[in-house]
């Protein structure tokens, strides 16, 4: 019996998101063998109001489903399932992603593709439900400018990885068993 399939990909361009009353479910499939990885929802608005010209939000949600592998091992490549991966734009390229707002919830685990030598993800504002995890591998950089309080996801920082957090960051109430910094 196979594992659950990965979640879907949804992209929405809008003028006024406050008039939308629906939801954007894109989580992975359930399975008794291995849960599917989270899907992605990307929301984009060119004109929100006079002070906020451009707004983009990336939502990563796996509906509370957690991989049966607890750790991602960059040496043996065990645990590479049920995750959201930041991937390069081109084959052989490096990851370089920037988002205004990222929401990680529903026990989502995320990481930069470990096959990439180098790579960076820059997040303006991080939000979440205290159940997610971000894995920063060797030669990878994740920079987060601001976040809700307490910090909404558990970082797992490998040797030679770089994590830049907001000046005042408080870790409290995370629903993961270990915090690795």
């Amino acid at each position: 019996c196979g594992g659950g399939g990965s979640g879907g990909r949804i992209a929405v361009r809008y003028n006024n998101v406050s008039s939308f009353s629906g939801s954007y479910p894109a989580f992975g499939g359930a399975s008794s063998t291995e849960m599917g990885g989270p899907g992605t929802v990307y929301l984009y608005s060119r004109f929100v109001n006079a002070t906020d010209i451009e707004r983009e939000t990336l939502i990563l949600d796996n509906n509370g489903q957690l991989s049966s592998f607890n750790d991602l091992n960059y040496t043996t490549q065990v645990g590479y399932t049920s995750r959201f991966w930041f991937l390069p734009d081109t084959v052989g390229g490096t990851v370089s992603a920037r988002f205004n707002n990222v929401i990680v919830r529903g026990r989502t685990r995320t990481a930069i593709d470990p096959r990439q030598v180098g790579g960076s993800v820059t997040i303006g504002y991080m939000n979440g439900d205290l159940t997610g995890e971000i894995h920063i591998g060797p030669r990878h950089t994740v920079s987060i400018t601001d976040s809700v309080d307490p910090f909404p996801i558990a970082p797992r920082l490998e040797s030679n990885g770089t994590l830049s957090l907001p000046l005042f960051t408080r870790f409290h109430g995370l629903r993961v068993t270990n915090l690795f910094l």
Side-chain angles (χ1 to χ4, degrees), residues 7 14-15 31 43 57 77 80 86 110 126 140-142 165 176:
Y14 64 91
N15 290 327
S31 169
L43 306 174
T57 299
Q77 298 185 357
Y80 274 32
F86 287 101
T110 184
M126 176 65 76
H140 295 157
T141 300
V142 174
L165 294 170
V176 294

Side-chain angles (χ1 to χ4, degrees), residues 23-155:
S23 63
Y24 313 98
F27 24 84
S31 169
S32 60
T33 307
E34 181 63 31
M35 299 300 169
T40 57
V41 176
Y42 178 76
L43 306 174
Y44 175 81
S45 176
R46 172 99 188 193
F47 301 103
V48 175
N49 58 43
T51 60
D52 193 6
I53 304 294
E54 187 174 61
R55 185 98 177 132
E56 64 180 352
T57 299
L58 178 66
I59 302 171
L60 308 172
D61 186 346
N62 210 29
N63 198 33
Q65 302 177 129
L66 188 62
S67 166
S68 60
F69 293 105
N70 289 327
D71 293 321
L72 175 65
N73 187 312
Y74 276 86
T75 305
T76 64
Q77 298 185 357
V78 170
Y80 274 32
T81 60
S82 302
R83 296 184 189 280
F84 170 80
W85 296 104
F86 287 101
L87 299 171
D89 291 335
T90 60
V91 175
T94 60
V95 174
S96 179
R98 177 180 297 272
F99 299 96
N100 295 113
N101 186 32
V102 174
I103 301 169
V104 178
R105 59 186 180 214
R107 299 182 86 176
T108 293
R109 290 179 168 171
T110 184
I112 296 174
D113 184 347
R115 297 168 294 187
Q116 301 303 309
V117 177
S120 67
V121 175
T122 302
I123 298 168
Y125 190 81
M126 176 65 76
N127 202 336
D129 64 1
L130 303 173
T131 66
E133 179 182 307
I134 188 163
H135 200 130
I136 301 110
R139 299 173 309 281
H140 295 157
T141 300
V142 174
S143 300
I144 301 168
T145 306
D146 198 5
S147 74
V148 295
D149 178 31
F151 195 72
I153 63 170

